[in-house]
Amino acid sequence: MSSSLLEAVDIKAPVAVSWSLWENVERWPAFLSHVKHVQRIDETTFAWQLSLPTADKEFVAELTEVIPQERIAWRTTEGVHHAGVVTFHRLSDTESRVTLQIEYDPQGFLEHLGALTNLDKTLANYDLGEFQRMAELAAETTAG
Protein backbone atom coordinates (compact mmCIF):
# COMPACT_ATOMS: atom_id res chain seq x y z
CA MET A 1 0.00 0.00 0.00
CA SER A 2 1.46 3.31 -1.08
CA SER A 3 1.15 6.54 0.88
CA SER A 4 1.54 10.09 -0.30
CA LEU A 5 1.78 13.56 1.06
CA LEU A 6 1.48 16.98 -0.49
CA GLU A 7 2.52 20.06 1.47
CA ALA A 8 3.32 23.65 0.55
CA VAL A 9 4.76 26.73 2.21
CA ASP A 10 4.68 30.38 1.15
CA ILE A 11 7.99 32.12 1.64
CA LYS A 12 8.90 35.81 1.79
CA ALA A 13 11.79 35.24 -0.60
CA PRO A 14 12.09 35.19 -4.39
CA VAL A 15 12.06 31.87 -6.23
CA ALA A 16 15.80 32.26 -6.91
CA VAL A 17 16.54 32.22 -3.16
CA SER A 18 14.30 29.20 -2.51
CA TRP A 19 15.82 27.38 -5.46
CA SER A 20 19.40 28.11 -4.37
CA LEU A 21 18.78 26.29 -1.06
CA TRP A 22 17.17 23.21 -2.67
CA GLU A 23 19.31 22.80 -5.79
CA ASN A 24 22.22 21.11 -3.97
CA VAL A 25 20.83 17.85 -2.60
CA GLU A 26 23.79 17.54 -0.21
CA ARG A 27 22.48 20.64 1.64
CA TRP A 28 19.06 19.11 2.39
CA PRO A 29 20.06 17.89 5.87
CA ALA A 30 20.31 21.56 6.91
CA PHE A 31 16.51 21.91 6.76
CA LEU A 32 15.11 18.38 6.55
CA SER A 33 15.22 17.12 10.13
CA HIS A 34 14.96 13.43 9.23
CA VAL A 35 17.75 13.57 6.62
CA LYS A 36 21.04 13.00 8.41
CA HIS A 37 23.40 12.78 5.45
CA VAL A 38 23.35 12.91 1.66
CA GLN A 39 26.44 11.94 -0.31
CA ARG A 40 26.89 12.39 -4.05
CA ILE A 41 27.72 9.18 -5.93
CA ASP A 42 27.73 10.76 -9.38
CA GLU A 43 26.06 13.70 -11.14
CA THR A 44 22.50 12.45 -10.55
CA THR A 45 22.78 9.73 -7.89
CA PHE A 46 23.00 10.17 -4.12
CA ALA A 47 23.24 7.93 -1.05
CA TRP A 48 20.90 9.03 1.76
CA GLN A 49 20.83 8.36 5.48
CA LEU A 50 17.55 9.05 7.29
CA SER A 51 16.70 9.00 10.96
CA LEU A 52 12.97 8.48 11.39
CA PRO A 53 10.91 7.95 14.55
CA THR A 54 10.47 4.32 13.51
CA ALA A 55 14.05 3.45 12.43
CA ASP A 56 17.14 4.62 10.63
CA LYS A 57 17.03 4.05 6.88
CA GLU A 58 19.51 4.18 4.03
CA PHE A 59 18.78 4.30 0.33
CA VAL A 60 20.11 5.42 -3.02
CA ALA A 61 18.12 7.90 -5.07
CA GLU A 62 18.56 9.47 -8.47
CA LEU A 63 17.46 12.86 -9.68
CA THR A 64 14.94 12.22 -12.45
CA GLU A 65 14.20 15.82 -13.39
CA VAL A 66 15.86 19.15 -12.67
CA ILE A 67 14.38 22.30 -14.17
CA PRO A 68 16.15 25.30 -12.63
CA GLN A 69 13.88 27.44 -10.45
CA GLU A 70 10.89 25.20 -11.30
CA ARG A 71 11.25 21.60 -10.05
CA ILE A 72 13.49 18.88 -8.69
CA ALA A 73 12.27 15.28 -8.83
CA TRP A 74 13.85 12.07 -7.55
CA ARG A 75 13.16 8.39 -7.04
CA THR A 76 14.91 5.67 -5.12
CA THR A 77 16.89 3.00 -6.93
CA GLU A 78 18.00 0.97 -3.86
CA GLY A 79 16.58 0.53 -0.37
CA VAL A 80 13.21 1.98 0.69
CA HIS A 81 10.84 2.82 -2.12
CA HIS A 82 9.89 6.45 -2.47
CA ALA A 83 9.75 9.23 -5.02
CA GLY A 84 9.31 12.94 -4.65
CA VAL A 85 9.19 16.30 -6.32
CA VAL A 86 9.70 19.84 -5.08
CA THR A 87 8.21 22.62 -7.18
CA PHE A 88 8.90 26.35 -7.00
CA HIS A 89 6.23 28.92 -7.78
CA ARG A 90 6.70 32.66 -8.19
CA LEU A 91 4.06 34.57 -6.22
CA SER A 92 5.70 37.99 -6.70
CA ASP A 93 9.17 39.48 -7.04
CA THR A 94 9.70 38.93 -3.32
CA GLU A 95 7.58 35.84 -2.53
CA SER A 96 7.51 32.21 -3.61
CA ARG A 97 5.68 28.98 -2.84
CA VAL A 98 7.51 25.69 -2.41
CA THR A 99 5.46 22.51 -2.78
CA LEU A 100 6.68 19.10 -1.67
CA GLN A 101 5.05 15.90 -2.91
CA ILE A 102 6.25 12.45 -1.82
CA GLU A 103 5.00 8.96 -2.65
CA TYR A 104 6.33 6.11 -0.50
CA ASP A 105 5.70 2.57 0.64
CA PRO A 106 5.51 2.32 4.44
CA GLN A 107 7.33 -0.74 5.78
CA GLY A 108 6.34 -2.37 9.05
CA PHE A 109 3.75 -1.54 11.67
CA LEU A 110 5.23 1.76 12.91
CA GLU A 111 5.62 3.25 9.42
CA HIS A 112 2.04 2.27 8.55
CA LEU A 113 0.89 3.83 11.82
CA GLY A 114 2.86 7.01 11.02
CA ALA A 115 1.16 7.25 7.63
CA LEU A 116 -2.30 6.61 9.13
CA THR A 117 -1.87 9.16 11.94
CA ASN A 118 -0.37 11.84 9.66
CA LEU A 119 2.98 11.81 11.47
CA ASP A 120 4.59 12.01 8.03
CA LYS A 121 2.54 15.15 7.25
CA THR A 122 3.53 16.70 10.60
CA LEU A 123 7.20 16.01 9.87
CA ALA A 124 6.92 17.48 6.36
CA ASN A 125 5.24 20.63 7.73
CA TYR A 126 7.96 21.03 10.36
CA ASP A 127 10.69 20.67 7.74
CA LEU A 128 9.02 23.12 5.37
CA GLY A 129 8.82 25.58 8.28
CA GLU A 130 12.57 25.17 8.83
CA PHE A 131 13.14 25.71 5.12
CA GLN A 132 10.94 28.82 5.20
CA ARG A 133 13.03 30.30 8.03
CA MET A 134 16.28 29.58 6.18
CA ALA A 135 15.02 31.03 2.90
CA GLU A 136 13.61 34.17 4.51
CA LEU A 137 16.86 34.74 6.41
CA ALA A 138 18.83 34.25 3.19
CA ALA A 139 16.55 36.72 1.39
CA GLU A 140 17.05 39.31 4.17
CA THR A 141 20.81 38.81 4.08
CA THR A 142 21.04 39.29 0.31
CA ALA A 143 18.63 42.26 0.33
CA GLY A 144 20.29 44.01 3.23
Side-chain angles (χ1 to χ4, degrees):
M1 178 178 143
S2 180
S3 291
S4 64
L5 64 91
L6 175 63
E7 299 298 324
V9 64
D10 290 349
I11 300 168
K12 292 180 178 130
V15 165
V17 171
S18 296
W19 171 261
S20 71
L21 294 172
W22 275 96
E23 73 175 320
N24 181 352
V25 173
E26 292 168 301
R27 291 178 64 188
W28 290 10
F31 53 85
L32 298 177
S33 62
H34 60 289
V35 178
K36 295 303 169 199
H37 185 72
V38 179
Q39 180 179 352
R40 181 182 296 275
I41 295 172
D42 61 34
E43 195 61 31
T44 61
T45 310
F46 299 84
W48 294 63
Q49 292 178 340
L50 303 181
S51 181
L52 300 169
T54 57
D56 290 345
K57 302 278 183 179
E58 293 184 6
F59 61 88
V60 174
E62 68 177 350
L63 297 176
T64 56
E65 184 177 27
V66 177
I67 302 172
Q69 298 191 27
E70 288 185 28
R71 65 189 285 129
I72 298 172
W74 67 92
R75 69 175 177 86
T76 57
T77 58
E78 295 177 28
V80 297
H81 172 72
H82 95 242
V85 62
V86 179
T87 56
F88 303 85
H89 310 271
R90 180 187 183 278
L91 300 178
S92 72
D93 288 345
T94 59
E95 294 183 58
S96 57
R97 176 172 294 144
V98 173
T99 302
L100 171 65
Q101 183 173 0
I102 296 178
E103 301 285 331
Y104 66 100
D105 286 330
Q107 301 296 314
F109 174 76
L110 290 176
E111 288 184 28
H112 283 282
L113 185 62
L116 289 171
T117 61
N118 290 324
L119 179 60
D120 54 358
K121 179 178 178 150
T122 301
L123 183 60
N125 278 318
Y126 174 82
D127 288 346
L128 285 175
E130 289 299 302
F131 176 77
Q132 177 185 29
R133 283 186 276 288
M134 283 184 65
E136 290 176 355
L137 181 60
E140 288 175 15
T141 303
T142 54

